[in-house]
Amino acid sequence: MASSCLESSAVPTNSVGVVTPQSIQFDKSIKLAGGGELASFKLMYETYGELNADRSNAVLICHALSGHHHAAGYHDLADRRTIGWWDNCIGPGKPIDTNLFYVIALNNLGGCHGSTGPTSNRPDDGEPFGSDFPQVTVSDWVKSQALLADALDIRRFAAVIGGSLGGMQALQWAIDYPGRVRNALLIACAPNLSAQNIAFNEIARQAILTDRNFHQGKYLDASSNPADGLGTARMLGHVTYLSAEGMNEKFGGDFENPNAEAAHDVVGEVTSYLQYNGQKFANMFDANTYLLMTHALDSFDPARVYDGNLVAALRQITARLLVVSFSTDWRFAPERSREIVDAAIAADCDVSYVDIESISGHDSFLLEIPRYHRILKAYMKEISDKLNS
């Protein structure tokens, strides 16, 4: 539950305030789609807002590749760097309004922000799982999220929401648990990955795998970190999350640094920006987790178990769908969202679709774009009104 230990005047009026992460331990095994199994596991999560009397106003936030459970508010109000990754969208009066909804955000199984993952210790010998952690899939994440919902006594979500890989989880939720999802908001995502997307992920993985400090995934045992490879993987990913227009606007004056003394020196704004973000990411994320998450992303294809028929897969859905794309997103382009929409229409789903004009590429789903936020807010308000009618 969101709470503040500071003077109320110190908390921004549209913020959930200072939040404390929670954890839940599941002391029963979970079988994974790839054949692996965990004897027990832990999930980290945060909640914002109040659960109503009939427990019908719960909303689940699914995170993208490098996301985590801290989606809104602050861990330390004196340090604004602790702000949640989707704080512009979650809070009192915001599109996902915590005056109306009880919002749950979690760190996925296999993550590196507190949930059981490669950095966790194996129960048998107390050593880190590292590269021995079993591969997970989007359906495994949804399965573990359903167990979290069970533990919180939430039988049906008012909405499951996510952008990018989070949107794919929301789609999987609507397929796998149709009776437990009233609405699914699928933002900047796709029904599966293109060959080009898989190729980008493989290049990023190779940067990690060939780092001299990777040690075949046992770098924690060696008190090491493949930071160069992980930073390079992040830089590559970051470029694909931006658009040409957005990069030109942000870095149009990328002039050579007159103080550069060698060819490998930083020579301008864009290189400095990428190197800074790559190094920052390498210091806060785990390389084995990055490998695991990208493999889960590559393997996502809910139509596979329906003989490749996306329409057949979407016929399982009873939830209302909102599909959102962004005009300059070339990582998950609008036509990929329209594949979902067209299949949903053919499957007789209740689906709405909007393409948002933005110069910010794939990262647009994280930004406070006025039309995007107005649409989300109106859609969520309609959901709340229906719950209370």
Side-chain angles (χ1 to χ4, degrees), residues 82-282:
T82 67
I83 194 170
W85 60 266
W86 215 11
D87 187 79
N88 65 52
C89 204
I90 302 170
K94 294 178 181 178
I96 303 171
D97 192 340
T98 51
N99 289 328
L100 304 176
F101 296 104
Y102 177 69
V103 181
I104 304 166
L106 81 161
N107 182 216
N108 280 343
L109 184 65
C112 57
H113 291 91
S115 292
T116 298
T119 60
S120 304
N121 293 332
R122 294 188 295 258
D124 54 349
D125 61 9
E127 296 298 318
F129 277 100
S131 56
D132 292 333
F133 193 84
Q135 181 59 48
V136 296
T137 66
V138 170
S139 61
D140 292 325
W141 287 333
V142 169
K143 182 179 181 180
S144 65
Q145 291 160 9
L147 291 173
L148 173 62
D150 290 343
L152 299 177
D153 195 22
I154 294 168
R155 302 308 306 162
R156 193 179 190 192
F157 284 108
V160 178
I161 306 172
S164 190
L165 182 53
M168 297 174 187
Q169 293 169 65
L171 178 59
Q172 193 77 58
W173 254 102
I175 294 169
D176 289 354
Y177 296 95
R180 301 192 67 172
V181 185
R182 293 180 184 272
N183 298 270
L185 281 67
L186 321 177
I187 305 170
C189 64
N192 53 38
L193 257 63
S194 66
Q196 183 188 53
N197 258 320
I198 294 173
F200 280 126
N201 285 342
E202 179 58 22
I203 294 168
R205 286 191 291 265
Q206 286 300 317
I208 295 170
L209 293 169
T210 57
D211 188 297
R212 65 188 182 280
N213 291 318
F214 184 64
H215 297 290
Q216 297 183 308
K218 303 298 184 182
Y219 47 86
L220 294 178
D221 294 338
S223 300
S224 186
N225 180 29
D228 291 343
L230 185 55
T232 298
R234 181 59 173 177
M235 287 193 286
L236 173 64
H238 203 56
V239 169
T240 70
Y241 303 150
L242 304 173
S243 71
E245 298 97 315
M247 290 190 74
N248 283 335
E249 181 171 291
K250 188 176 183 70
F251 305 113
D254 191 30
F255 302 112
E256 184 173 350
N257 179 359
N259 297 317
E261 297 179 357
H264 61 265
D265 283 349
V266 173
V267 295
E269 292 180 42
V270 66
T271 47
S272 176
Y273 173 82
L274 288 175
Q275 289 183 20
Y276 169 77
N277 280 282
Q279 292 166 4
K280 178 182 176 183
F281 184 75

Side-chain angles (χ1 to χ4, degrees), residues 15 24 33 96 128 171 177 203 229 242 268 313 328 343 363 383 385:
S15 172
I24 184 167
I96 303 171
L171 178 59
Y177 296 95
I203 294 168
L242 304 173
T328 56
D363 272 352
I383 291 172
D385 289 345

